[in-house]
Amino acid sequence: MKNWFFLLFFVLQIKLYAQDELLGLLANELERQEQEFQQLNPSPYYLSFKVDEVQLHEIHADFGGITLSDENFIRLANVDVRVGDYKKDNTSVPNANAFGMRSTPIPIDNDEQGVSYMMWILSDLKYKVAENIYKTISANSDPSGEEIASFSKEEVAVYYEEPLSKEKTALEVEKWESLLKSLSAFGDQLPNVIQSSVRLSHKVIRKYFLDTEGRSIVQNHQNCLLSINLNLVDDFNNQVPLSKTFSVQTLNQLPDEEELKEEMSQLMELAKSLSSASYVEPYSGPILFSGPASAVFFHEVLGHRIEAERLSQITDGQTFVNKVETEILPEKINIRSLPSLQEYNGTVLTGGYLYDDQGVRAQDVTITEDGVLKRFLMSRKPIKSFSGSNGHSRCSEGGTPVTRQSNLIVESPKGHSSKKLRELLLKECKKQNKPFGYFIDQVEGGFTTTDRYQPNTINILPMIVYKVFVDGRPDELVKGMSLTGTPLNVFSEIMAVGNEYGIFSGYCGAESGYIPVSAVSPGLLIRKMEVQRKPIAKTKLPILSLPTN
């Protein structure tokens, strides 16, 4: 039976190589290199090829005119060469993947000599680096120390998707140029405007992954990002940047023309209101997050601290590394990472995929159950108590994969209505003798630090913020806020969650580059969090009047 399986496996591979020329070229070169590497001492025990074929079309419009309309096609290759064995190899030192050449372009025309040559030179460089690191590790190893394996053994898979047709991926350039010109021209109607731009990025990616364990994975991805950007000079001579971003998988999932024009109109009205809005003052007290804002909060506070590959490094803060089976969140908060999920309540999610960038099938992972930490997101890099991958090794095109988030889903069966959360906010403000609390409606982004050599903090950058007054006055729009805190302290201050869910989709940047992610969360009430002013850009009003005046 086993022999029949491998015969079928071999026949399937031959068929795929015949119909996909690049796949065949890569397979031949991988086989050739594997045979020659076996003659060396030390020889690699593992070798993989990763090629990302990227077609990128970008259109930029500013103040009613097209400033960029460009299409590029590139193939970026990366190679993983491991010397030693699964228990200990050249990646056993911190940041080992940072050494050597990360990626290289290879020919886009399937020239056999060109493709083979570029993969050969890349593998040669990676081997030399790996060999030197492994010899150093072997010479300085402590046989009495507790060792965690360098690389996990995972199920081998063969998977092939046909290339996406041009009909499915074609961008109607004239149509989108006309729409972006129209949208960006709206800015002329704003006083003191210094930026009115719209950006469209449409990326079609075909991913190839092969390794000497027998994996052969070919899959397609699409990502579309449309952003509307305004920047005004306010009444205090400070710049007020505003943006609205739509991150989806395919072009037809973007809002239609009427919806986009309505979004632009709303953004302009908000810009006018923010122009005269006051700035926040330093504050520590109750904070209420909307669903979308809460999604960013959990992505930053928890998401980056459960990416296990980072936890294996002694330079990391390792906030949750020893808290498995410990309650880290209030009871009944359940968090999962679901790369299999394509949408949530009818809204497209962008963090999904079938196989990760190490050729491992993506798995849904329960991170917390009733507030208790259960598991981390894993690549093939084991950590203490967790030895297997769950398919969360990801990177940008041409990058070196490490553990990253996918679709982070935060849910609770004990959520409150938005009205009730507001009541709880005001009640807590009274208890703390605060004249107001803050409601974070929308955020522009956030960032976090997880290493040991600087404060292990999180920063959320709100874009739309309201003061909510205890005495019943109307909410007041304010600006210039940065929310800060430390993970364990912030989690201990969670008071309540909502029952209305919001979604954040966008690009997350970390060690392995920018990747598409999504997060889903209900509204969130925090008892106490610190507010500080974010940096502002001073500027002078333009000396000349607008050209259209």
Side-chain angles (χ1 to χ4, degrees):
M1 181 65 71
K2 187 175 181 181
N3 290 335
W4 276 107
F5 170 78
F6 282 108
L7 178 60
L8 181 62
F9 180 79
F10 177 74
V11 171
L12 176 62
Q13 284 186 316
I14 295 298
K15 182 179 179 181
L16 293 179
Y17 300 160
Q19 70 187 67
D20 192 307
E21 191 174 359
L22 177 59
L23 181 62
L25 294 177
L26 294 173
N28 291 338
E29 179 59 21
L30 180 66
E31 182 180 6
R32 185 188 75 85
Q33 289 187 21
E34 182 182 19
Q35 292 174 357
E36 291 200 17
F37 270 133
Q38 295 307 310
Q39 310 305 313
L40 302 179
N41 186 20
S43 64
Y45 76 95
Y46 177 83
L47 178 67
S48 71
F49 287 176
K50 184 172 74 70
V51 173
D52 297 318
E53 185 178 87
V54 186
Q55 181 177 341
L56 174 64
H57 202 141
E58 292 185 291
I59 302 176
H60 296 180
D62 293 83
F63 288 106
I66 297 298
T67 53
L68 175 70
S69 184
D70 190 29
E71 184 175 15
N72 288 297
F73 185 79
I74 191 171
R75 285 173 173 167
L76 294 171
N78 207 335
V79 170
D80 187 13
V81 179
R82 292 176 177 262
V83 176
D85 55 36
Y86 289 93
K87 291 183 178 180
K88 179 180 283 188
D89 65 23
N90 53 284
T91 68
S92 297
V93 295
N95 300 317
N97 283 336
F99 292 94
M101 193 175 189
R102 288 177 61 86
S103 66
T104 188
I106 66 170
I108 62 175
D109 60 357
N110 293 333
D111 178 81
E112 181 177 4
Q113 182 175 348
V115 170
S116 299
Y117 182 91
M118 297 308 296
M119 300 307 296
W120 163 74
I121 196 68
L122 185 54
S123 296
D124 183 72
L125 289 170
K126 290 291 183 75
Y127 171 76
K128 290 172 181 175
V129 172
E131 178 194 26
N132 287 334
I133 294 175
Y134 182 68
K135 285 181 177 179
T136 302
I137 292 172
S138 299
N140 295 288
S141 63
D142 180 7
S144 64
E146 181 183 4
E147 290 189 3
I148 299 172
S150 296
F151 205 46
S152 66
K153 296 182 179 181
E154 304 294 339
E155 182 179 345
V156 174
V158 174
Y159 177 78
Y160 185 83
E161 288 182 355
E162 294 289 342
L164 293 172
S165 66
K166 291 184 178 180
E167 290 75 18
K168 289 184 177 180
T169 62
L171 184 145
E172 299 177 70
V173 177
E174 292 185 1
K175 168 194 165 183
W176 283 102
E177 285 182 349
S178 175
L179 177 55
L180 266 60
K181 286 174 65 173
S182 175
L183 291 171
S184 66
F186 277 47
D188 290 350
Q189 305 170 29
L190 289 170
N192 303 336
V193 62
I194 58 176
Q195 181 189 14
S196 176
S197 64
V198 185
R199 306 283 187 257
L200 174 65
S201 171
H202 177 225
K203 188 183 293 184
V204 181
I205 310 161
R206 187 160 171 81
K207 290 174 170 283
Y208 292 80
F209 183 88
L210 301 91
D211 68 13
T212 50
E213 292 177 335
R215 289 177 186 81
S216 177
I217 309 293
V218 183
Q219 56 188 331
N220 304 308
H221 292 271
Q222 287 192 76
N223 301 118
C224 298
L225 191 68
L226 189 147
S227 62
I228 302 171
N229 309 283
L230 296 174
N231 198 348
L232 310 182
V233 180
D234 70 6
D235 296 349
F236 309 94
N237 289 325
N238 299 322
Q239 291 187 30
V240 181
L242 276 175
S243 63
K244 179 72 174 184
T245 300
F246 304 91
S247 182
V248 294
Q249 293 179 348
T250 61
L251 286 164
N252 60 9
Q253 293 169 344
L254 288 170
D256 62 26
E257 181 174 352
E258 291 306 313
E259 291 176 291
L260 288 172
K261 287 182 177 179
E262 178 61 27
E263 290 284 356
M264 186 66 167
S265 297
Q266 292 178 10
L267 200 64
M268 289 172 59
E269 290 302 313
L270 176 62
K272 293 174 184 176
S273 299
L274 280 174
S275 182
S276 58
S278 61
Y279 284 87
V280 299
E281 296 293 338
Y283 166 93
S284 179
I287 301 286
L288 177 60
F289 289 85
S290 69
S294 175
V296 176
F297 170 89
F298 278 105
H299 172 90
E300 296 294 346
V301 182
L302 180 68
H304 286 297
R305 289 172 173 81
I306 55 169
E307 295 167 333
E309 197 156 341
R310 191 178 296 114
L311 300 179
S312 67
Q313 300 177 9
I314 60 172
T315 56
D316 188 75
Q318 300 178 336
T319 306
F320 299 111
V321 73
N322 293 317
K323 296 190 180 297
V324 177
E325 298 301 334
T326 300
E327 186 175 282
I328 64 170
L329 288 164
E331 185 183 1
K332 300 302 181 185
I333 292 184
N334 303 312
I335 302 179
R336 296 172 295 161
S337 183
L338 304 180
S340 66
L341 202 61
Q342 296 297 310
E343 61 177 44
Y344 190 91
N345 289 342
T347 300
V348 174
L349 303 180
T350 59
Y353 51 93
L354 287 176
Y355 289 87
D356 73 3
D357 289 315
Q358 288 183 322
V360 177
R361 180 82 182 192
Q363 300 171 32
D364 293 345
V365 181
T366 295
I367 298 165
T368 69
E369 186 175 343
D370 293 340
V372 175
L373 180 63
K374 292 293 183 179
R375 193 163 177 83
F376 300 108
L377 304 180
M378 300 290 298
S379 66
R380 293 186 69 176
K381 174 70 174 177
I383 63 172
K384 186 177 181 180
S385 302
F386 294 97
S387 60
S389 172
N390 48 42
H392 277 78
S393 188
R394 306 181 64 196
C395 61
S396 61
E397 297 78 52
T400 300
V402 299
T403 318
R404 300 291 296 276
Q405 297 175 67
S406 57
N407 294 319
L408 194 72
I409 313 298
V410 182
E411 296 176 314
S412 173
K414 288 189 173 181
H416 301 285
S417 67
S418 296
K419 180 180 179 181
K420 181 63 176 179
L421 284 180
R422 184 181 175 93
E423 291 173 357
L424 292 172
L425 169 69
L426 294 173
K427 182 179 179 180
E428 186 62 27
C429 287
K430 292 177 182 177
K431 183 178 178 180
Q432 296 185 30
N433 199 27
K434 301 288 184 182
F436 60 84
Y438 282 111
F439 170 56
I440 314 300
D441 187 20
Q442 294 183 33
V443 299
E444 59 181 271
F447 59 93
T448 189
T449 54
T450 65
D451 64 80
R452 300 185 185 192
Y453 299 103
Q454 52 188 323
N456 213 236
T457 59
I458 55 113
N459 287 87
I460 306 296
L461 303 175
M463 184 170 64
I464 303 178
V465 183
Y466 294 94
K467 277 184 178 179
V468 181
F469 294 96
V470 171
D471 62 11
R473 278 179 285 167
D475 295 352
E476 178 188 347
L477 181 68
V478 293
K479 63 190 176 191
M481 176 184 283
S482 173
L483 286 170
T484 187
T486 54
L488 295 178
N489 183 61
V490 169
F491 276 173
S492 70
E493 297 289 349
I494 293 177
M495 286 183 61
V497 295
N499 59 13
E500 297 176 19
Y501 289 79
I503 298 174
F504 152 74
S505 288
Y507 277 79
C508 171
E511 301 95 323
S512 61
Y514 283 87
I515 60 169
V517 296
S518 289
V520 177
S521 178
L524 183 69
L525 177 59
I526 296 180
R527 183 178 291 105
K528 183 175 287 188
M529 196 168 178
E530 188 170 339
V531 168
Q532 62 186 34
R533 284 189 170 187
K534 70 178 181 182
I536 56 175
K538 279 282 186 182
T539 191
K540 291 183 178 181
L541 287 171
I543 297 173
L544 303 177
S545 62
L546 283 170
T548 53
N549 287 351

